[in-house]
């Protein structure tokens, strides 16, 4: 029955495939052409189904894996399962959803954050830094913020793209959330100039940390 269900889901995803959308997504490294709104509608209909989610993940199909992350039960995965999944998740959107929708809700998230942050694989390390961003805002007491700024200052400039993005987000988050570290965070951003020239759409905030920090602090209630 489960195999048939997987086949049915894969057939439905195939019908939703849009070549033009795939072309756009592939520019960002995401090899699928399914509208994410329609993908979420399928997930809403299927509801939580852990076994089906695991089988969809095993297909190695990007759209199927995205759907799997929407219908899984995050706390059902063991530490080693999540570690294996993050190493398999090479499509950026799958990587992002795995960290944000699943790992952040896992009882293993802190252990994985510490392990991943020091991993030699930059994609895995970026997952560790993404989890650290959340801690900066919600559980700063478990962090050495000065130590994090030291690492960012020393390593962010030369880091691979995905890892650099996560470290930059952490830098901005420290500056936004912690006034006592704000001046240093802005100074690091200004000196390293990471994402300074990143194209930003009208109405959106630049990911360049000094601009990002300043704008978000401006919006905070006084």
């Amino acid at each position: 029955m489960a195999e048939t269900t997987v086949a049915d889901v894969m057939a439905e995803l195939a019908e939703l495939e849009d070549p033009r959308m795939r072309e756009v997504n592939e520019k960002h490294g995401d090899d699928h052409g399914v509208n994410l709104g329609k993908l979420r509608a399928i997930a809403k209909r299927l509801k939580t189904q852990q076994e089906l989610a695991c089988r969809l993940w095993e297909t190695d199909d990007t759209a199927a894996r995205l759907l799997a992350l929407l219908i899984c039960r995050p706390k059902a995965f063991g530490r080693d399962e999540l570690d294996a999944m993050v190493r398999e998740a090479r499509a950026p959107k799958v990587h992002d959803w795995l960290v944000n929708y699943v790992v952040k809700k896992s009882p293993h998230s802190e252990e994985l954050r510490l392990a991943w942050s020091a991993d030699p694989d930059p994609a895995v390390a970026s997952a560790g830094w993404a989890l650290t961003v959340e801690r900066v805002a919600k559980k700063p007491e478990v962090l050495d913020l000065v130590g994090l700024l030291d690492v960012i200052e020393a390593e962010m400039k030369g880091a691979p793209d995905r890892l650099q993005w996560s470290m930059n987000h952490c830098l901005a988050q420290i500056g936004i959330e912690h006034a006592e570290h704000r001046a240093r965070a802005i100074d690091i951003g200004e000196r390293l100039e990471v994402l300074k020239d990143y194209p930003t759409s009208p109405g959106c905030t630049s990911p360049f940390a000094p601009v990002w920090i300043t704008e978000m602090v401006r919006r905070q209630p006084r």
Side-chain angles (χ1 to χ4, degrees):
M1 187 69 179
E3 290 293 339
T4 304
T5 304
V6 170
D8 288 344
V9 172
M10 296 303 291
E12 186 170 2
L13 292 175
E15 288 179 6
L16 293 174
E17 178 77 17
D18 181 340
R20 288 173 297 179
M21 186 166 291
R22 175 178 283 270
E23 185 178 348
V24 171
N25 287 335
E26 284 183 340
K27 292 178 181 178
H28 305 287
D30 291 309
D31 54 342
H32 76 92
V34 179
N35 178 282
L36 295 181
K38 293 179 179 178
L39 195 73
R40 291 182 187 278
I42 296 174
K44 187 175 181 180
R45 188 186 77 233
L46 292 173
K47 299 185 172 62
T48 301
Q49 295 193 48
Q50 179 67 9
E51 184 180 353
L52 176 59
C54 291
R55 291 180 176 273
L56 288 172
W57 182 270
E58 290 169 1
T59 66
D60 198 25
D61 177 84
T62 294
R65 284 187 162 183
L66 290 172
L67 181 58
L69 296 170
L70 294 175
I71 67 171
C72 73
R73 188 175 291 107
K75 293 180 181 179
F77 292 108
R79 180 208 180 281
D80 291 346
E81 285 180 289
L82 292 172
D83 184 69
M85 289 168 74
V86 85
R87 294 175 194 282
E88 296 166 3
R90 289 303 163 184
K93 184 66 70 177
V94 173
H95 187 276
D96 181 55
W97 282 20
L98 174 61
V99 172
N100 287 290
Y101 296 171
V102 180
V103 181
K104 283 184 179 179
K105 299 175 183 178
S106 167
H108 307 291
S109 63
E110 181 61 14
E111 183 184 354
L112 288 170
R113 181 186 74 81
L114 293 170
W116 288 347
S117 295
D119 199 276
D121 183 328
V124 175
S126 74
W129 280 90
L131 293 171
T132 299
V133 170
E134 184 185 47
R135 301 298 191 277
V136 169
K138 297 182 178 180
K139 290 185 178 179
E141 65 276 6
V142 306
L143 301 174
D144 173 9
L145 296 178
V146 172
L148 285 173
L149 289 173
D150 289 344
V151 174
I152 291 168
E153 186 171 21
E155 299 179 11
M156 182 172 72
K157 182 78 171 180
D161 287 352
R162 196 183 300 180
L163 176 55
Q164 185 183 73
W165 188 273
S166 293
M167 294 177 82
N168 181 73
H169 191 175
C170 190
L171 174 66
Q173 199 73 32
I174 291 172
I176 293 164
E177 299 286 345
H178 301 280
E180 68 274 23
H181 299 295
R182 189 167 297 148
R184 186 184 175 196
I186 290 174
D187 178 65
I188 290 171
E190 287 176 341
R191 283 188 289 105
L192 298 186
E193 298 187 335
V194 168
L195 301 176
K196 183 176 183 178
D197 299 320
Y198 190 85
T200 306
S201 302
C204 296
T205 303
S206 169
F208 179 48
V211 174
W212 191 354
I213 293 167
T214 302
E215 176 58 23
M216 297 309 293
V217 170
R218 184 186 68 79
R219 296 181 192 180
Q220 290 176 353
R222 298 185 182 279

